[in-house]
Amino acid sequence: MVTVTSGMLVVFALVVVTMALFVTEAAPPDVTAIGVIVALVVLEPWTRVDLQTGLSGFSSAATITVLSMYALSEGVRQTGAIRVLGDAVASFTNGSESRLLAAVVGLTGPIAGVVNNTPVVAVFVPMVSDLADQANVSPSKLLIPLSYASMLGGTLTLVGTATNLVASEAYAEATGLPPFSMFTFTPLGAVVFVVGAGYLLTVAPRLLPERIEPGNRTGNYGVEPFLARVLVPARSPLVGSPAGEVSDDTYRDLNVDILDVLRGGEHFIAADSDREVTARDILTVRGDPATIRRFCDLADLRFLPHASVTDAELDRPERVALVELVVPRESGLVGETIGGARLRERYDATVLAVRRRGGDLIREHFRDVDLQVGDSLLLQTTDETARYLRDSGDFVVTSEVADELIEDDGGLSPTALRAFAVVAAVIGLAALGVVPIAIAALGGVAAMVSLGCLSASDAYDAVSWNVIFLLAGVIPLGRALQLTGGAELISEFVGVAATHLPVIAVIAAFYLLTGLLANVITPVASVVLLLPVAIDTAFGLGADPFGFALAVTFGGSTAFMTPIGYQTNLMVYGPGGYRFTDYLRVGAPLQLLLTVVTTAGIVLIWGV
């Protein structure tokens, strides 16, 4: 029997504190992970984690591979190939909701198997939202399936998710056996994807609500009552003032914004222009209805009660774009106010509304609103600025923005073909065992930059550094569980509890436990913590640890029940107008279904 030591208790305490911080988000997950490294090394007499072990997460092959895959995915994204794909999908679906759903699921999964699924969803969200508008289908019917399909596709190959790479390295370290190869679990991944796709195409549409109306962004954000048209008479004090500065000067305290100026049939966006207001101009104004009336009185403007403002008025590709954004976890603007972010000054963008996680809408007094992870913002800006916002890394743009690297005939550019060739070479070299996956991926990044598919600065910017620091922090925590005997102690208790259970039931329990844990903390953290325990349990039961490792690996990819467990779920939360319960309604049955399918697949395919 394993003896409980003070070192075990210290590590268990660190695990509990870490999980509490992950769940409550009292600190960003990457900051928590950095704190874990510090605590492990400072408490070395108990944790047995020295400086080299504490920093081993930064040099981990999994961390290096994940870092490289972000850059490779960005190289593919910048080619504009997704826009070509979107045109093909639009032609195939021809306005059919069922065909559109099938195309989304059928394309997202396989692509996410070879390109990291987070950037795949980032580039598919605007395409799917645009196609939904064209087909008059609510985006709510498509975006959760998009996220789930990318998660299912991530199980097809080793590089599909960061979770797979971390599990591979942890398995090799705990057993002394070779890590997983590129296609080790592809047979099971294919089964899981087919079953999951069938669920998304048949059951999920009946469970998903229509939270968002197609093609009506101003209506979905409840903005229309906060928009108005006003006429500028010759006597107005606004005449002669720069249109973009009106709301920043005398009338700043009113919290109104001039969005658009109509002059003689010509429109121009106020925030992007230094042109002065002239008599007979018609201004589009954003603000509280009562405040707009007061603005009209103070500035001697004539309110136009019958001049409604619609999407068509605010979203004209030749001059202005109505853009939806999501604030991702890695955004440098999280915690900053909209006023402090200076979106209007820096990006010539005017905020029209903010949708919070949970569905709350904010449509006024934006300057003091703190930006939070998962917030959706509706902006009016130019198409050029929308592309800059998309590339900045501070936002995920969820409405279509024109790409520039498309051939005039609609085909793929030479740049796109080179990028795909690089990714194919990376996968091929790793699959054949010519070089380790980490080296192949690093070489792929170098090739992307050398061939002009990606600039060096874009490669650095593409990396989600919060994910890298998260990996670097939780990997040594898992190592501490092993070094102190904590993993062995837990496995002993599990083994006692599982004495009268068949091995298949224990495998299913580890799959389900990992999936449930991944829903409240990150999938990577759940795999790092549970995989050593699963392997020790397998040894204690005299079973093959490979099957147990697969159960934990696949369980980490099934965080279907909450929007916070997996990054892709959070990315579609705002654009789909979802509520927390929508994920539970659709994800819980899928998670239970895959518990049975994955467990049975492990036993049938590998005879565990």
Side-chain angles (χ1 to χ4, degrees):
M1 181 165 179
V2 178
T3 303
V4 178
T5 66
S6 58
M8 293 179 189
L9 296 177
V10 169
V11 173
F12 287 152
L14 284 174
V15 170
V16 171
V17 171
T18 301
M19 290 178 62
L21 290 173
F22 280 153
V23 172
T24 61
E25 295 187 335
D30 50 329
V31 174
T32 298
I34 294 171
V36 168
I37 296 174
V38 174
L40 288 172
V41 176
V42 169
L43 299 174
E44 179 185 354
W46 294 275
T47 64
R48 299 185 183 180
V49 174
D50 57 18
L51 178 61
Q52 184 173 356
T53 305
L55 299 177
S56 62
F58 289 102
S59 60
S60 161
T63 304
I64 298 301
T65 305
V66 171
L67 184 153
S68 302
M69 292 307 297
Y70 274 117
L72 290 173
S73 300
E74 176 65 9
V76 172
R77 187 196 69 78
Q78 287 198 8
T79 64
I82 299 300
R83 187 173 178 83
V84 175
L85 189 60
D87 292 341
V89 170
S91 176
F92 166 75
T93 57
N94 196 28
S96 166
E97 179 178 347
S98 58
R99 282 191 176 190
L100 181 53
L101 180 60
V104 168
V105 173
L107 286 172
T108 306
I111 293 175
V114 294
V115 180
N116 189 278
N117 56 7
T118 299
V120 167
V121 171
V123 295
F124 265 67
V125 166
M127 182 193 82
V128 171
S129 298
D130 188 57
L131 291 174
D133 288 347
Q134 293 178 27
N136 199 35
V137 175
S138 171
S140 309
K141 289 288 190 179
L142 300 172
L143 292 178
I144 276 183
L146 167 66
S147 176
Y148 287 1
S150 77
M151 295 162 68
L152 294 168
T155 65
L156 292 172
T157 70
L158 180 63
V159 298
T161 69
T163 306
N164 298 347
L165 294 161
V166 171
S168 175
E169 186 168 326
Y171 171 75
E173 188 172 312
T175 63
L177 298 172
F180 302 147
S181 67
M182 179 66 71
F183 301 111
T184 293
F185 40 72
T186 298
L188 179 59
V191 172
V192 167
F193 176 73
V194 169
V195 172
Y199 173 89
L200 294 177
L201 295 177
T202 57
V203 178
R206 294 177 171 83
L207 301 176
L208 283 168
E210 294 186 2
R211 300 287 186 202
I212 297 290
E213 295 181 20
N216 184 16
R217 295 190 182 99
T218 53
N220 290 326
Y221 279 84
V223 173
E224 290 175 348
F226 293 80
L227 300 175
R229 288 281 175 79
V230 299
L231 175 68
V232 182
R235 63 180 178 274
S236 172
L238 296 189
V239 174
S241 300
E245 299 177 9
V246 168
S247 57
D248 296 329
D249 296 331
T250 308
Y251 307 98
R252 179 183 181 89
D253 292 339
L254 289 181
N255 189 40
V256 294
D257 291 309
I258 307 300
L259 304 180
D260 174 86
V261 180
L262 173 61
R263 180 180 301 163
E266 178 191 2
H267 288 268
F268 62 87
I269 181 171
D272 186 46
S273 175
D274 57 1
R275 282 189 273 188
E276 296 178 347
V277 176
T278 63
R280 308 304 298 173
D281 282 349
I282 295 178
L283 310 180
T284 302
V285 183
R286 183 216 60 81
D288 177 84
T291 304
I292 292 176
R293 293 282 190 172
R294 186 179 173 204
F295 174 57
C296 289
D297 291 340
L298 292 174
D300 203 358
L301 303 171
R302 185 187 303 169
F303 185 80
L304 303 177
H306 302 297
S308 61
V309 183
T310 63
D311 281 13
E313 295 292 334
L314 294 175
D315 192 8
R316 300 190 177 196
E318 73 277 4
R319 62 176 183 87
V320 64
L322 198 59
V323 180
E324 289 180 275
L325 310 173
V326 172
V327 181
R329 289 188 186 277
E330 61 269 23
S331 173
L333 299 179
V334 172
E336 192 168 349
T337 64
I338 290 178
R342 297 175 59 82
L343 297 180
R344 188 174 177 93
E345 294 83 356
R346 292 167 59 188
Y347 302 110
D348 298 327
T350 302
V351 179
L352 302 181
V354 179
R355 179 185 283 117
R356 283 269 140 95
R357 286 194 289 176
D360 293 338
L361 285 171
I362 301 171
R363 288 161 294 190
E364 56 181 330
H365 302 294
F366 300 117
R367 291 187 179 93
D368 299 325
V369 174
D370 293 326
L371 290 171
Q372 300 176 6
V373 174
D375 280 352
S376 291
L377 282 70
L378 183 66
L379 301 181
Q380 185 214 34
T381 186
T382 64
D383 199 62
E384 180 181 358
T385 299
R387 285 195 295 273
Y388 180 77
L389 285 166
R390 182 189 65 184
D391 296 337
S392 70
D394 285 327
F395 300 101
V396 175
V397 177
T398 60
S399 50
E400 192 77 296
V401 178
D403 288 299
E404 298 173 333
L405 298 178
I406 310 294
E407 292 286 85
D408 292 337
D409 61 2
L412 294 178
S413 68
T415 305
L417 297 176
R418 289 196 295 270
F420 286 129
V422 169
V423 173
V426 168
I427 294 173
L429 290 172
L432 295 173
V434 177
V435 292
I437 178 63
I439 299 302
L442 278 175
V445 175
M448 281 271 193
V449 174
S450 300
L451 294 172
C453 303
L454 187 68
S455 69
S457 60
D458 285 344
Y460 285 112
D461 291 340
V463 178
S464 293
W465 292 103
N466 64 322
V467 175
I468 301 304
F469 279 99
L470 175 63
L471 289 172
V474 297
I475 286 174
L477 184 59
R479 183 66 178 143
L481 276 174
Q482 293 176 288
L483 292 172
T484 60
E488 186 180 356
L489 177 65
I490 298 174
S491 67
E492 184 176 277
F493 282 115
V494 174
V496 171
T499 301
H500 303 293
L501 294 176
V503 171
I504 187 173
V506 182
I507 291 176
F510 271 108
Y511 176 93
L512 190 58
L513 178 60
T514 308
L516 293 174
L517 195 59
N519 278 289
V520 291
I521 65 174
T522 66
V524 167
S526 65
V527 167
V528 166
L529 294 175
L530 289 179
L531 196 138
V533 176
I535 290 174
D536 282 344
T537 301
F539 284 138
L541 296 175
D544 186 350
F546 178 73
F548 283 71
L550 281 185
V552 171
T553 303
F554 275 68
S557 298
T558 56
F560 299 123
M561 296 196 299
T562 70
I564 60 175
Y566 209 88
Q567 173 80 326
T568 58
N569 285 348
L570 188 61
M571 290 166 64
V572 302
Y573 193 20
Y578 296 118
R579 299 173 185 168
F580 195 99
T581 53
D582 294 335
Y583 290 84
L584 188 62
R585 183 188 302 114
V586 182
L590 178 59
Q591 196 147 353
L592 291 174
L593 172 64
L594 294 183
T595 300
V596 176
V597 171
T598 304
T599 306
I602 291 172
V603 173
L604 293 175
I605 296 173
W606 288 282
V608 176

